[in-house]
PDB file of all heavy atoms in Angstrom:
ATOM      1  N   GLU A   1     -14.399 -18.661 -28.822  1.00  0.00           N
ATOM      2  CA  GLU A   1     -15.157 -19.926 -29.284  1.00  0.00           C
ATOM      3  C   GLU A   1     -16.326 -20.180 -28.411  1.00  0.00           C
ATOM      4  O   GLU A   1     -17.272 -20.657 -28.790  1.00  0.00           O
ATOM      5  CB  GLU A   1     -14.149 -21.111 -29.399  1.00  0.00           C
ATOM      6  CG  GLU A   1     -13.211 -20.822 -30.480  1.00  0.00           C
ATOM      7  CD  GLU A   1     -12.032 -21.912 -30.564  1.00  0.00           C
ATOM      8  OE1 GLU A   1     -12.274 -23.067 -29.874  1.00  0.00           O
ATOM      9  OE2 GLU A   1     -11.035 -21.738 -31.260  1.00  0.00           O
ATOM     10  N   GLN A   2     -16.137 -20.133 -27.051  1.00  0.00           N
ATOM     11  CA  GLN A   2     -17.087 -20.358 -26.070  1.00  0.00           C
ATOM     12  C   GLN A   2     -17.029 -19.167 -25.072  1.00  0.00           C
ATOM     13  O   GLN A   2     -16.010 -18.965 -24.459  1.00  0.00           O
ATOM     14  CB  GLN A   2     -16.804 -21.712 -25.358  1.00  0.00           C
ATOM     15  CG  GLN A   2     -16.828 -22.891 -26.231  1.00  0.00           C
ATOM     16  CD  GLN A   2     -16.603 -24.096 -25.434  1.00  0.00           C
ATOM     17  OE1 GLN A   2     -16.236 -24.017 -24.282  1.00  0.00           O
ATOM     18  NE2 GLN A   2     -16.573 -25.285 -26.059  1.00  0.00           N
ATOM     19  N   PRO A   3     -18.155 -18.441 -24.935  1.00  0.00           N
ATOM     20  CA  PRO A   3     -17.988 -17.365 -24.042  1.00  0.00           C
ATOM     21  C   PRO A   3     -17.815 -17.856 -22.548  1.00  0.00           C
ATOM     22  O   PRO A   3     -18.565 -18.693 -22.215  1.00  0.00           O
ATOM     23  CB  PRO A   3     -19.404 -16.690 -24.142  1.00  0.00           C
ATOM     24  CG  PRO A   3     -20.178 -17.378 -25.244  1.00  0.00           C
ATOM     25  CD  PRO A   3     -19.334 -18.486 -25.640  1.00  0.00           C
ATOM     26  N   ALA A   4     -16.925 -17.218 -21.830  1.00  0.00           N
ATOM     27  CA  ALA A   4     -16.644 -17.624 -20.656  1.00  0.00           C
ATOM     28  C   ALA A   4     -16.020 -16.360 -19.849  1.00  0.00           C
ATOM     29  O   ALA A   4     -15.148 -15.644 -20.435  1.00  0.00           O
ATOM     30  CB  ALA A   4     -15.674 -18.783 -20.479  1.00  0.00           C
ATOM     31  N   ARG A   5     -16.356 -16.312 -18.560  1.00  0.00           N
ATOM     32  CA  ARG A   5     -15.814 -15.195 -17.733  1.00  0.00           C
ATOM     33  C   ARG A   5     -14.273 -15.408 -17.541  1.00  0.00           C
ATOM     34  O   ARG A   5     -13.904 -16.564 -17.225  1.00  0.00           O
ATOM     35  CB  ARG A   5     -16.625 -15.131 -16.557  1.00  0.00           C
ATOM     36  CG  ARG A   5     -16.229 -13.919 -15.628  1.00  0.00           C
ATOM     37  CD  ARG A   5     -17.070 -13.983 -14.421  1.00  0.00           C
ATOM     38  NE  ARG A   5     -16.484 -13.092 -13.347  1.00  0.00           N
ATOM     39  CZ  ARG A   5     -16.952 -11.995 -13.081  1.00  0.00           C
ATOM     40  NH1 ARG A   5     -17.987 -11.546 -13.740  1.00  0.00           N
ATOM     41  NH2 ARG A   5     -16.391 -11.133 -12.255  1.00  0.00           N
ATOM     42  N   GLY A   6     -13.560 -14.292 -17.736  1.00  0.00           N
ATOM     43  CA  GLY A   6     -12.094 -14.486 -17.498  1.00  0.00           C
ATOM     44  C   GLY A   6     -11.260 -15.070 -18.611  1.00  0.00           C
ATOM     45  O   GLY A   6     -10.089 -15.400 -18.483  1.00  0.00           O
ATOM     46  N   GLN A   7     -11.949 -15.347 -19.605  1.00  0.00           N
ATOM     47  CA  GLN A   7     -11.265 -16.034 -20.765  1.00  0.00           C
ATOM     48  C   GLN A   7     -10.297 -15.018 -21.522  1.00  0.00           C
ATOM     49  O   GLN A   7     -10.700 -13.821 -21.683  1.00  0.00           O
ATOM     50  CB  GLN A   7     -12.350 -16.516 -21.871  1.00  0.00           C
ATOM     51  CG  GLN A   7     -11.631 -17.350 -23.059  1.00  0.00           C
ATOM     52  CD  GLN A   7     -12.720 -17.892 -23.972  1.00  0.00           C
ATOM     53  OE1 GLN A   7     -13.905 -17.678 -23.646  1.00  0.00           O
ATOM     54  NE2 GLN A   7     -12.302 -18.452 -25.063  1.00  0.00           N
ATOM     55  N   LYS A   8      -9.205 -15.476 -21.829  1.00  0.00           N
ATOM     56  CA  LYS A   8      -8.244 -14.596 -22.540  1.00  0.00           C
ATOM     57  C   LYS A   8      -8.655 -14.169 -23.898  1.00  0.00           C
ATOM     58  O   LYS A   8      -9.335 -14.978 -24.619  1.00  0.00           O
ATOM     59  CB  LYS A   8      -6.770 -15.227 -22.523  1.00  0.00           C
ATOM     60  CG  LYS A   8      -6.735 -16.419 -23.283  1.00  0.00           C
ATOM     61  CD  LYS A   8      -5.344 -16.960 -23.338  1.00  0.00           C
ATOM     62  CE  LYS A   8      -5.167 -18.252 -24.126  1.00  0.00           C
ATOM     63  NZ  LYS A   8      -3.911 -18.900 -24.164  1.00  0.00           N
ATOM     64  N   LYS A   9      -8.436 -12.913 -24.268  1.00  0.00           N
ATOM     65  CA  LYS A   9      -8.845 -12.427 -25.486  1.00  0.00           C
ATOM     66  C   LYS A   9      -7.617 -12.608 -26.496  1.00  0.00           C
ATOM     67  O   LYS A   9      -6.478 -12.316 -26.028  1.00  0.00           O
ATOM     68  CB  LYS A   9      -9.149 -11.021 -25.523  1.00  0.00           C
ATOM     69  CG  LYS A   9     -10.347 -10.633 -24.798  1.00  0.00           C
ATOM     70  CD  LYS A   9     -10.473  -9.079 -24.966  1.00  0.00           C
ATOM     71  CE  LYS A   9     -11.459  -8.356 -23.853  1.00  0.00           C
ATOM     72  NZ  LYS A   9     -11.600  -6.976 -24.171  1.00  0.00           N
ATOM     73  N   SER A  10      -7.880 -13.081 -27.727  1.00  0.00           N
ATOM     74  CA  SER A  10      -6.811 -13.069 -28.718  1.00  0.00           C
ATOM     75  C   SER A  10      -7.107 -11.900 -29.620  1.00  0.00           C
ATOM     76  O   SER A  10      -8.337 -11.516 -29.961  1.00  0.00           O
ATOM     77  CB  SER A  10      -6.879 -14.337 -29.436  1.00  0.00           C
ATOM     78  OG  SER A  10      -6.388 -15.316 -28.611  1.00  0.00           O
ATOM     79  N   TYR A  11      -6.164 -11.317 -30.169  1.00  0.00           N
ATOM     80  CA  TYR A  11      -6.185 -10.083 -31.014  1.00  0.00           C
ATOM     81  C   TYR A  11      -5.583 -10.323 -32.399  1.00  0.00           C
ATOM     82  O   TYR A  11      -4.676 -11.210 -32.637  1.00  0.00           O
ATOM     83  CB  TYR A  11      -5.455  -8.876 -30.392  1.00  0.00           C
ATOM     84  CG  TYR A  11      -6.023  -8.524 -29.028  1.00  0.00           C
ATOM     85  CD1 TYR A  11      -5.576  -9.027 -27.845  1.00  0.00           C
ATOM     86  CD2 TYR A  11      -7.044  -7.460 -29.002  1.00  0.00           C
ATOM     87  CE1 TYR A  11      -6.091  -8.615 -26.581  1.00  0.00           C
ATOM     88  CE2 TYR A  11      -7.553  -7.146 -27.689  1.00  0.00           C
ATOM     89  CZ  TYR A  11      -7.090  -7.667 -26.548  1.00  0.00           C
ATOM     90  OH  TYR A  11      -7.540  -7.273 -25.393  1.00  0.00           O
ATOM     91  N   GLU A  12      -6.289  -9.633 -33.302  1.00  0.00           N
ATOM     92  CA  GLU A  12      -5.679  -9.638 -34.731  1.00  0.00           C
ATOM     93  C   GLU A  12      -5.624  -8.215 -35.205  1.00  0.00           C
ATOM     94  O   GLU A  12      -6.324  -7.285 -34.674  1.00  0.00           O
ATOM     95  CB  GLU A  12      -6.526 -10.477 -35.709  1.00  0.00           C
ATOM     96  CG  GLU A  12      -7.845  -9.944 -35.968  1.00  0.00           C
ATOM     97  CD  GLU A  12      -8.797 -10.716 -36.970  1.00  0.00           C
ATOM     98  OE1 GLU A  12      -8.163 -11.737 -37.584  1.00  0.00           O
ATOM     99  OE2 GLU A  12      -9.893 -10.322 -37.236  1.00  0.00           O
ATOM    100  N   VAL A  13      -4.764  -7.958 -36.167  1.00  0.00           N
ATOM    101  CA  VAL A  13      -4.573  -6.646 -36.740  1.00  0.00           C
ATOM    102  C   VAL A  13      -5.666  -6.427 -37.822  1.00  0.00           C
ATOM    103  O   VAL A  13      -5.850  -7.260 -38.779  1.00  0.00           O
ATOM    104  CB  VAL A  13      -3.192  -6.464 -37.290  1.00  0.00           C
ATOM    105  CG1 VAL A  13      -2.859  -5.261 -37.958  1.00  0.00           C
ATOM    106  CG2 VAL A  13      -2.064  -6.765 -36.150  1.00  0.00           C
ATOM    107  N   LEU A  14      -6.216  -5.183 -37.779  1.00  0.00           N
ATOM    108  CA  LEU A  14      -7.134  -4.831 -38.846  1.00  0.00           C
ATOM    109  C   LEU A  14      -6.554  -4.070 -39.961  1.00  0.00           C
ATOM    110  O   LEU A  14      -5.279  -3.727 -39.776  1.00  0.00           O
ATOM    111  CB  LEU A  14      -8.296  -4.018 -38.242  1.00  0.00           C
ATOM    112  CG  LEU A  14      -9.039  -4.575 -37.103  1.00  0.00           C
ATOM    113  CD1 LEU A  14      -9.979  -3.600 -36.350  1.00  0.00           C
ATOM    114  CD2 LEU A  14      -9.977  -5.821 -37.674  1.00  0.00           C
ATOM    115  N   THR A  15      -7.184  -3.709 -40.946  1.00  0.00           N
ATOM    116  CA  THR A  15      -6.597  -3.090 -42.251  1.00  0.00           C
ATOM    117  C   THR A  15      -6.020  -1.844 -41.755  1.00  0.00           C
ATOM    118  O   THR A  15      -4.914  -1.454 -42.256  1.00  0.00           O
ATOM    119  CB  THR A  15      -7.729  -2.818 -43.246  1.00  0.00           C
ATOM    120  OG1 THR A  15      -8.302  -4.042 -43.569  1.00  0.00           O
ATOM    121  CG2 THR A  15      -7.193  -2.152 -44.455  1.00  0.00           C
ATOM    122  N   ALA A  16      -6.607  -0.986 -40.939  1.00  0.00           N
ATOM    123  CA  ALA A  16      -6.120   0.246 -40.279  1.00  0.00           C
ATOM    124  C   ALA A  16      -4.821   0.106 -39.751  1.00  0.00           C
ATOM    125  O   ALA A  16      -3.869   0.957 -39.725  1.00  0.00           O
ATOM    126  CB  ALA A  16      -7.148   0.954 -39.507  1.00  0.00           C
ATOM    127  N   GLY A  17      -4.708  -1.035 -38.917  1.00  0.00           N
ATOM    128  CA  GLY A  17      -3.479  -1.326 -38.199  1.00  0.00           C
ATOM    129  C   GLY A  17      -2.403  -1.746 -39.146  1.00  0.00           C
ATOM    130  O   GLY A  17      -1.149  -1.239 -38.918  1.00  0.00           O
ATOM    131  N   ARG A  18      -2.644  -2.475 -40.056  1.00  0.00           N
ATOM    132  CA  ARG A  18      -1.644  -2.789 -41.082  1.00  0.00           C
ATOM    133  C   ARG A  18      -1.157  -1.525 -41.770  1.00  0.00           C
ATOM    134  O   ARG A  18       0.070  -1.327 -42.158  1.00  0.00           O
ATOM    135  CB  ARG A  18      -2.195  -3.827 -42.029  1.00  0.00           C
ATOM    136  CG  ARG A  18      -1.112  -4.362 -43.142  1.00  0.00           C
ATOM    137  CD  ARG A  18      -1.730  -5.176 -44.077  1.00  0.00           C
ATOM    138  NE  ARG A  18      -1.811  -6.599 -43.624  1.00  0.00           N
ATOM    139  CZ  ARG A  18      -0.787  -7.405 -43.601  1.00  0.00           C
ATOM    140  NH1 ARG A  18       0.419  -7.082 -44.050  1.00  0.00           N
ATOM    141  NH2 ARG A  18      -0.927  -8.646 -43.134  1.00  0.00           N
ATOM    142  N   ALA A  19      -2.057  -0.666 -42.214  1.00  0.00           N
ATOM    143  CA  ALA A  19      -1.667   0.618 -42.868  1.00  0.00           C
ATOM    144  C   ALA A  19      -0.823   1.566 -41.967  1.00  0.00           C
ATOM    145  O   ALA A  19       0.200   2.077 -42.436  1.00  0.00           O
ATOM    146  CB  ALA A  19      -3.025   1.332 -43.277  1.00  0.00           C
ATOM    147  N   GLU A  20      -1.180   1.526 -40.667  1.00  0.00           N
ATOM    148  CA  GLU A  20      -0.317   2.324 -39.658  1.00  0.00           C
ATOM    149  C   GLU A  20       1.006   1.835 -39.638  1.00  0.00           C
ATOM    150  O   GLU A  20       2.036   2.524 -39.639  1.00  0.00           O
ATOM    151  CB  GLU A  20      -0.969   2.394 -38.337  1.00  0.00           C
ATOM    152  CG  GLU A  20      -0.097   2.939 -37.218  1.00  0.00           C
ATOM    153  CD  GLU A  20       0.384   4.315 -37.442  1.00  0.00           C
ATOM    154  OE1 GLU A  20      -0.122   5.079 -38.330  1.00  0.00           O
ATOM    155  OE2 GLU A  20       1.459   4.671 -36.858  1.00  0.00           O
ATOM    156  N   LEU A  21       1.224   0.486 -39.568  1.00  0.00           N
ATOM    157  CA  LEU A  21       2.489  -0.178 -39.492  1.00  0.00           C
ATOM    158  C   LEU A  21       3.294  -0.022 -40.759  1.00  0.00           C
ATOM    159  O   LEU A  21       4.429   0.408 -40.760  1.00  0.00           O
ATOM    160  CB  LEU A  21       2.397  -1.645 -39.197  1.00  0.00           C
ATOM    161  CG  LEU A  21       3.640  -2.414 -38.966  1.00  0.00           C
ATOM    162  CD1 LEU A  21       4.311  -1.774 -37.662  1.00  0.00           C
ATOM    163  CD2 LEU A  21       3.489  -3.938 -38.721  1.00  0.00           C
ATOM    164  N   ALA A  22       2.636  -0.001 -41.938  1.00  0.00           N
ATOM    165  CA  ALA A  22       3.381   0.232 -43.255  1.00  0.00           C
ATOM    166  C   ALA A  22       3.769   1.675 -43.325  1.00  0.00           C
ATOM    167  O   ALA A  22       4.885   2.044 -43.730  1.00  0.00           O
ATOM    168  CB  ALA A  22       2.350  -0.078 -44.362  1.00  0.00           C
ATOM    169  N   ARG A  23       2.908   2.683 -42.839  1.00  0.00           N
ATOM    170  CA  ARG A  23       3.240   4.101 -42.841  1.00  0.00           C
ATOM    171  C   ARG A  23       4.532   4.241 -41.974  1.00  0.00           C
ATOM    172  O   ARG A  23       5.347   4.992 -42.281  1.00  0.00           O
ATOM    173  CB  ARG A  23       2.145   4.886 -42.253  1.00  0.00           C
ATOM    174  CG  ARG A  23       2.447   6.417 -42.211  1.00  0.00           C
ATOM    175  CD  ARG A  23       1.461   7.190 -41.166  1.00  0.00           C
ATOM    176  NE  ARG A  23       1.754   6.776 -39.814  1.00  0.00           N
ATOM    177  CZ  ARG A  23       2.925   7.009 -39.072  1.00  0.00           C
ATOM    178  NH1 ARG A  23       3.908   7.829 -39.616  1.00  0.00           N
ATOM    179  NH2 ARG A  23       3.024   6.684 -37.892  1.00  0.00           N
ATOM    180  N   TRP A  24       4.441   3.674 -40.724  1.00  0.00           N
ATOM    181  CA  TRP A  24       5.450   3.795 -39.767  1.00  0.00           C
ATOM    182  C   TRP A  24       6.890   3.297 -40.285  1.00  0.00           C
ATOM    183  O   TRP A  24       8.012   3.932 -40.107  1.00  0.00           O
ATOM    184  CB  TRP A  24       5.216   3.191 -38.459  1.00  0.00           C
ATOM    185  CG  TRP A  24       6.180   3.386 -37.423  1.00  0.00           C
ATOM    186  CD1 TRP A  24       6.416   4.491 -36.668  1.00  0.00           C
ATOM    187  CD2 TRP A  24       7.085   2.350 -36.900  1.00  0.00           C
ATOM    188  NE1 TRP A  24       7.581   4.167 -35.778  1.00  0.00           N
ATOM    189  CE2 TRP A  24       7.891   2.903 -35.935  1.00  0.00           C
ATOM    190  CE3 TRP A  24       7.199   0.961 -37.251  1.00  0.00           C
ATOM    191  CZ2 TRP A  24       8.826   2.123 -35.170  1.00  0.00           C
ATOM    192  CZ3 TRP A  24       8.253   0.155 -36.623  1.00  0.00           C
ATOM    193  CH2 TRP A  24       9.030   0.829 -35.580  1.00  0.00           C
ATOM    194  N   THR A  25       6.854   2.037 -40.897  1.00  0.00           N
ATOM    195  CA  THR A  25       8.104   1.516 -41.486  1.00  0.00           C
ATOM    196  C   THR A  25       8.633   2.329 -42.581  1.00  0.00           C
ATOM    197  O   THR A  25       9.857   2.337 -42.935  1.00  0.00           O
ATOM    198  CB  THR A  25       7.909   0.004 -41.921  1.00  0.00           C
ATOM    199  OG1 THR A  25       6.919  -0.008 -42.933  1.00  0.00           O
ATOM    200  CG2 THR A  25       7.458  -0.829 -40.782  1.00  0.00           C
ATOM    201  N   ALA A  26       7.827   3.066 -43.491  1.00  0.00           N
ATOM    202  CA  ALA A  26       8.241   3.807 -44.502  1.00  0.00           C
ATOM    203  C   ALA A  26       8.793   5.205 -44.079  1.00  0.00           C
ATOM    204  O   ALA A  26       9.515   5.867 -44.867  1.00  0.00           O
ATOM    205  CB  ALA A  26       7.081   3.947 -45.611  1.00  0.00           C
ATOM    206  N   ALA A  27       8.407   5.669 -43.018  1.00  0.00           N
ATOM    207  CA  ALA A  27       8.773   7.053 -42.507  1.00  0.00           C
ATOM    208  C   ALA A  27      10.246   7.014 -42.259  1.00  0.00           C
ATOM    209  O   ALA A  27      10.738   6.104 -41.568  1.00  0.00           O
ATOM    210  CB  ALA A  27       7.923   7.394 -41.231  1.00  0.00           C
ATOM    211  N   PRO A  28      10.966   8.167 -42.662  1.00  0.00           N
ATOM    212  CA  PRO A  28      12.352   8.268 -42.309  1.00  0.00           C
ATOM    213  C   PRO A  28      12.542   8.476 -40.810  1.00  0.00           C
ATOM    214  O   PRO A  28      11.689   9.003 -40.036  1.00  0.00           O
ATOM    215  CB  PRO A  28      12.845   9.460 -42.981  1.00  0.00           C
ATOM    216  CG  PRO A  28      11.608  10.283 -43.313  1.00  0.00           C
ATOM    217  CD  PRO A  28      10.420   9.157 -43.368  1.00  0.00           C
ATOM    218  N   GLN A  29      13.598   8.019 -40.207  1.00  0.00           N
ATOM    219  CA  GLN A  29      13.892   8.222 -38.768  1.00  0.00           C
ATOM    220  C   GLN A  29      15.441   8.194 -38.550  1.00  0.00           C
ATOM    221  O   GLN A  29      16.237   7.526 -39.212  1.00  0.00           O
ATOM    222  CB  GLN A  29      13.525   6.984 -37.977  1.00  0.00           C
ATOM    223  CG  GLN A  29      13.573   7.107 -36.482  1.00  0.00           C
ATOM    224  CD  GLN A  29      12.925   6.031 -35.622  1.00  0.00           C
ATOM    225  OE1 GLN A  29      12.715   5.060 -36.188  1.00  0.00           O
ATOM    226  NE2 GLN A  29      12.787   6.276 -34.412  1.00  0.00           N
ATOM    227  N   ASP A  30      15.834   9.217 -37.821  1.00  0.00           N
ATOM    228  CA  ASP A  30      17.327   9.626 -37.655  1.00  0.00           C
ATOM    229  C   ASP A  30      17.695   8.571 -36.509  1.00  0.00           C
ATOM    230  O   ASP A  30      16.993   8.003 -35.710  1.00  0.00           O
ATOM    231  CB  ASP A  30      17.624  11.021 -36.987  1.00  0.00           C
ATOM    232  CG  ASP A  30      17.234  11.886 -38.124  1.00  0.00           C
ATOM    233  OD1 ASP A  30      17.284  11.675 -39.410  1.00  0.00           O
ATOM    234  OD2 ASP A  30      16.843  13.132 -37.765  1.00  0.00           O
ATOM    235  N   PRO A  31      19.025   8.168 -36.680  1.00  0.00           N
ATOM    236  CA  PRO A  31      19.567   7.240 -35.650  1.00  0.00           C
ATOM    237  C   PRO A  31      19.563   8.005 -34.316  1.00  0.00           C
ATOM    238  O   PRO A  31      19.668   9.224 -34.150  1.00  0.00           O
ATOM    239  CB  PRO A  31      21.026   7.049 -36.059  1.00  0.00           C
ATOM    240  CG  PRO A  31      21.135   7.498 -37.519  1.00  0.00           C
ATOM    241  CD  PRO A  31      20.096   8.450 -37.729  1.00  0.00           C
ATOM    242  N   LYS A  32      19.333   7.259 -33.186  1.00  0.00           N
ATOM    243  CA  LYS A  32      19.291   7.811 -31.915  1.00  0.00           C
ATOM    244  C   LYS A  32      20.686   7.898 -31.385  1.00  0.00           C
ATOM    245  O   LYS A  32      21.439   6.967 -31.580  1.00  0.00           O
ATOM    246  CB  LYS A  32      18.286   6.977 -31.008  1.00  0.00           C
ATOM    247  CG  LYS A  32      16.988   6.763 -31.440  1.00  0.00           C
ATOM    248  CD  LYS A  32      16.134   8.153 -31.197  1.00  0.00           C
ATOM    249  CE  LYS A  32      14.779   7.938 -31.655  1.00  0.00           C
ATOM    250  NZ  LYS A  32      14.163   9.039 -32.220  1.00  0.00           N
ATOM    251  N   PRO A  33      20.917   9.086 -30.663  1.00  0.00           N
ATOM    252  CA  PRO A  33      22.246   9.126 -30.036  1.00  0.00           C
ATOM    253  C   PRO A  33      22.311   8.025 -28.906  1.00  0.00           C
ATOM    254  O   PRO A  33      21.429   7.596 -28.251  1.00  0.00           O
ATOM    255  CB  PRO A  33      22.252  10.539 -29.302  1.00  0.00           C
ATOM    256  CG  PRO A  33      21.039  11.236 -29.878  1.00  0.00           C
ATOM    257  CD  PRO A  33      20.070  10.197 -30.467  1.00  0.00           C
ATOM    258  N   LEU A  34      23.662   7.484 -28.706  1.00  0.00           N
ATOM    259  CA  LEU A  34      23.930   6.464 -27.767  1.00  0.00           C
ATOM    260  C   LEU A  34      23.785   7.170 -26.349  1.00  0.00           C
ATOM    261  O   LEU A  34      24.431   8.235 -26.119  1.00  0.00           O
ATOM    262  CB  LEU A  34      25.188   5.920 -27.885  1.00  0.00           C
ATOM    263  CG  LEU A  34      25.739   4.858 -27.006  1.00  0.00           C
ATOM    264  CD1 LEU A  34      24.921   3.738 -26.967  1.00  0.00           C
ATOM    265  CD2 LEU A  34      27.115   4.396 -27.228  1.00  0.00           C
ATOM    266  N   ARG A  35      23.036   6.529 -25.469  1.00  0.00           N
ATOM    267  CA  ARG A  35      23.037   7.016 -24.089  1.00  0.00           C
ATOM    268  C   ARG A  35      23.098   5.745 -23.249  1.00  0.00           C
ATOM    269  O   ARG A  35      22.317   4.818 -23.283  1.00  0.00           O
ATOM    270  CB  ARG A  35      21.528   7.438 -23.700  1.00  0.00           C
ATOM    271  CG  ARG A  35      21.358   8.830 -24.491  1.00  0.00           C
ATOM    272  CD  ARG A  35      19.942   9.317 -24.144  1.00  0.00           C
ATOM    273  NE  ARG A  35      19.744   9.427 -22.631  1.00  0.00           N
ATOM    274  CZ  ARG A  35      19.074  10.310 -22.010  1.00  0.00           C
ATOM    275  NH1 ARG A  35      18.352  11.311 -22.814  1.00  0.00           N
ATOM    276  NH2 ARG A  35      18.890  10.316 -20.723  1.00  0.00           N
ATOM    277  N   ASP A  36      24.423   5.507 -22.790  1.00  0.00           N
ATOM    278  CA  ASP A  36      24.683   4.276 -21.975  1.00  0.00           C
ATOM    279  C   ASP A  36      25.273   4.646 -20.681  1.00  0.00           C
ATOM    280  O   ASP A  36      26.188   5.410 -20.449  1.00  0.00           O
ATOM    281  CB  ASP A  36      25.690   3.452 -22.737  1.00  0.00           C
ATOM    282  CG  ASP A  36      25.921   2.257 -22.229  1.00  0.00           C
ATOM    283  OD1 ASP A  36      26.618   2.063 -21.065  1.00  0.00           O
ATOM    284  OD2 ASP A  36      25.453   1.192 -22.706  1.00  0.00           O
ATOM    285  N   THR A  37      24.587   4.222 -19.591  1.00  0.00           N
ATOM    286  CA  THR A  37      24.970   4.587 -18.156  1.00  0.00           C
ATOM    287  C   THR A  37      26.371   4.132 -17.879  1.00  0.00           C
ATOM    288  O   THR A  37      27.129   4.755 -17.184  1.00  0.00           O
ATOM    289  CB  THR A  37      24.041   3.990 -17.071  1.00  0.00           C
ATOM    290  OG1 THR A  37      22.637   4.458 -17.499  1.00  0.00           O
ATOM    291  CG2 THR A  37      24.298   4.425 -15.762  1.00  0.00           C
ATOM    292  N   LEU A  38      26.755   2.874 -18.364  1.00  0.00           N
ATOM    293  CA  LEU A  38      28.136   2.400 -18.056  1.00  0.00           C
ATOM    294  C   LEU A  38      29.159   3.297 -18.732  1.00  0.00           C
ATOM    295  O   LEU A  38      30.213   3.544 -18.073  1.00  0.00           O
ATOM    296  CB  LEU A  38      28.227   0.903 -18.609  1.00  0.00           C
ATOM    297  CG  LEU A  38      29.673   0.311 -18.514  1.00  0.00           C
ATOM    298  CD1 LEU A  38      29.835   0.145 -16.868  1.00  0.00           C
ATOM    299  CD2 LEU A  38      29.750  -1.064 -19.087  1.00  0.00           C
ATOM    300  N   LEU A  39      28.961   3.782 -19.922  1.00  0.00           N
ATOM    301  CA  LEU A  39      29.946   4.635 -20.547  1.00  0.00           C
ATOM    302  C   LEU A  39      30.007   5.953 -19.716  1.00  0.00           C
ATOM    303  O   LEU A  39      31.285   6.450 -19.391  1.00  0.00           O
ATOM    304  CB  LEU A  39      29.507   5.031 -21.978  1.00  0.00           C
ATOM    305  CG  LEU A  39      29.603   3.695 -22.827  1.00  0.00           C
ATOM    306  CD1 LEU A  39      29.068   4.298 -24.292  1.00  0.00           C
ATOM    307  CD2 LEU A  39      30.890   3.095 -22.970  1.00  0.00           C
ATOM    308  N   LEU A  40      29.001   6.395 -19.186  1.00  0.00           N
ATOM    309  CA  LEU A  40      28.980   7.641 -18.416  1.00  0.00           C
ATOM    310  C   LEU A  40      29.674   7.440 -17.085  1.00  0.00           C
ATOM    311  O   LEU A  40      30.550   8.196 -16.578  1.00  0.00           O
ATOM    312  CB  LEU A  40      27.517   8.165 -18.188  1.00  0.00           C
ATOM    313  CG  LEU A  40      27.450   9.559 -17.333  1.00  0.00           C
ATOM    314  CD1 LEU A  40      28.210  10.752 -18.029  1.00  0.00           C
ATOM    315  CD2 LEU A  40      25.860   9.828 -17.252  1.00  0.00           C
ATOM    316  N   ARG A  41      29.497   6.275 -16.407  1.00  0.00           N
ATOM    317  CA  ARG A  41      30.091   5.825 -15.143  1.00  0.00           C
ATOM    318  C   ARG A  41      31.690   5.780 -15.414  1.00  0.00           C
ATOM    319  O   ARG A  41      32.471   6.110 -14.517  1.00  0.00           O
ATOM    320  CB  ARG A  41      29.450   4.610 -14.631  1.00  0.00           C
ATOM    321  CG  ARG A  41      28.051   4.829 -14.166  1.00  0.00           C
ATOM    322  CD  ARG A  41      27.465   3.410 -13.656  1.00  0.00           C
ATOM    323  NE  ARG A  41      28.184   2.747 -12.779  1.00  0.00           N
ATOM    324  CZ  ARG A  41      28.424   1.564 -12.818  1.00  0.00           C
ATOM    325  NH1 ARG A  41      27.867   0.793 -13.828  1.00  0.00           N
ATOM    326  NH2 ARG A  41      29.188   0.812 -11.948  1.00  0.00           N
ATOM    327  N   LEU A  42      31.913   5.167 -16.528  1.00  0.00           N
ATOM    328  CA  LEU A  42      33.358   5.056 -16.760  1.00  0.00           C
ATOM    329  C   LEU A  42      34.164   6.307 -16.931  1.00  0.00           C
ATOM    330  O   LEU A  42      35.190   6.590 -16.454  1.00  0.00           O
ATOM    331  CB  LEU A  42      33.580   4.224 -18.094  1.00  0.00           C
ATOM    332  CG  LEU A  42      34.835   3.585 -18.418  1.00  0.00           C
ATOM    333  CD1 LEU A  42      35.370   2.652 -17.313  1.00  0.00           C
ATOM    334  CD2 LEU A  42      34.917   2.842 -19.684  1.00  0.00           C
ATOM    335  N   ARG A  43      33.384   7.238 -17.706  1.00  0.00           N
ATOM    336  CA  ARG A  43      33.967   8.689 -17.808  1.00  0.00           C
ATOM    337  C   ARG A  43      34.030   9.263 -16.348  1.00  0.00           C
ATOM    338  O   ARG A  43      35.056   9.935 -16.186  1.00  0.00           O
ATOM    339  CB  ARG A  43      32.949   9.470 -18.675  1.00  0.00           C
ATOM    340  CG  ARG A  43      33.385  10.856 -18.986  1.00  0.00           C
ATOM    341  CD  ARG A  43      34.560  11.095 -19.755  1.00  0.00           C
ATOM    342  NE  ARG A  43      34.973  12.381 -19.939  1.00  0.00           N
ATOM    343  CZ  ARG A  43      34.692  13.201 -21.006  1.00  0.00           C
ATOM    344  NH1 ARG A  43      34.122  12.623 -22.069  1.00  0.00           N
ATOM    345  NH2 ARG A  43      35.028  14.503 -21.048  1.00  0.00           N
TER     346      ARG A  43
END
């Protein structure tokens, strides 16, 4: 709104970003194997 040095930038998503997010959410993904340090320590 007013140019100033050190002013924080706000960001918004562009059409390409929305399309990338839609692509990613629609893509299949396998469940990740459980990796838990506490379980390994208990073993």
Side-chain angles (χ1 to χ4, degrees):
E1 292 176 17
Q2 298 176 359
R5 184 178 166 102
Q7 183 176 355
K8 64 182 180 180
K9 291 184 195 177
S10 286
Y11 295 90
E12 70 177 356
V13 177
L14 299 172
T15 305
R18 181 181 281 278
E20 168 55 22
L21 188 60
R23 182 207 60 75
W24 181 76
T25 59
Q29 186 176 17
D30 293 333
K32 299 290 183 213
L34 178 63
R35 290 176 58 141
D36 189 286
T37 306
L38 179 63
L39 296 177
L40 183 57
R41 289 175 53 226
L42 194 59
R43 177 73 183 255

